[in-house]
Amino acid sequence: MRRVIRYILILIIGSLIGGFVEEAWCLIKNKRFERRQSLVYSPSIPIYGIASLFMILILEKIGYEFWKIFIVGFLIAALVEYTSSFLQEKIFHTKSWDYSDMKFNFQGRINLVYLIAFGV
């Protein structure tokens, strides 16, 4: 039971931290607050919580060295972001993000620059 509660807390905390970091990034980049909303209306962004949980589950098995954290963060971000974008578009016929106008993107769903940031 403790393990389940821990994983739920990781989901919640990861979602909240992801939402706040993304809002801070947009505030710095655009010099104004933006309404960061996708399929869920909340200050949290569940995709970050899901990625956080996957990262913890994998890193518990392989260790927490910096290079492992970077590689796992990069790969998990790519997998979760691409899958989420694909499923949202196919199921709900909507897009929450589109990187098509940026270099190093793949189908507008993921972008190398942001994947490196997620790895770090």
Side-chain angles (χ1 to χ4, degrees):
M1 187 61 160
R2 281 180 167 234
R3 180 174 271 169
V4 172
I5 292 171
R6 180 173 179 256
Y7 293 153
I8 290 170
L9 286 174
I10 290 169
L11 278 167
I12 293 169
I13 293 168
S15 297
L16 286 169
I17 290 172
F20 290 128
V21 168
E22 190 168 310
E23 183 62 43
W25 170 251
C26 290
L27 179 62
I28 292 166
K29 183 179 169 191
N30 302 325
K31 297 179 179 49
R32 63 182 167 87
F33 284 104
E34 291 184 2
R35 194 166 151 203
R36 309 296 303 162
Q37 178 180 330
S38 58
L39 291 175
V40 178
Y41 185 71
S42 125
S44 66
I45 300 177
I47 192 171
Y48 291 111
I50 293 166
S52 299
L53 180 59
F54 284 141
M55 283 187 65
I56 294 295
L57 291 172
I58 292 169
L59 291 170
E60 282 178 341
K61 304 274 189 238
I62 66 170
Y64 290 92
E65 289 86 8
F66 176 79
W67 67 273
K68 290 179 183 178
I69 294 170
F70 177 81
I71 291 171
V72 169
F74 183 97
L75 293 175
I76 292 294
L79 179 68
V80 170
E81 190 170 33
Y82 184 89
T83 303
S84 298
S85 173
F86 180 82
L87 291 175
Q88 179 182 347
E89 189 172 339
K90 296 303 176 195
I91 295 169
F92 300 106
H93 308 288
T94 61
K95 285 185 176 183
S96 292
W97 62 89
D98 186 356
Y99 301 128
S100 296
D101 61 336
M102 299 176 71
K103 288 184 180 182
F104 310 114
N105 79 82
F106 181 68
Q107 297 179 348
R109 300 182 193 285
I110 56 177
N111 177 281
L112 182 62
V113 174
Y114 290 132
L115 294 179
I116 290 170
F118 291 135
V120 171

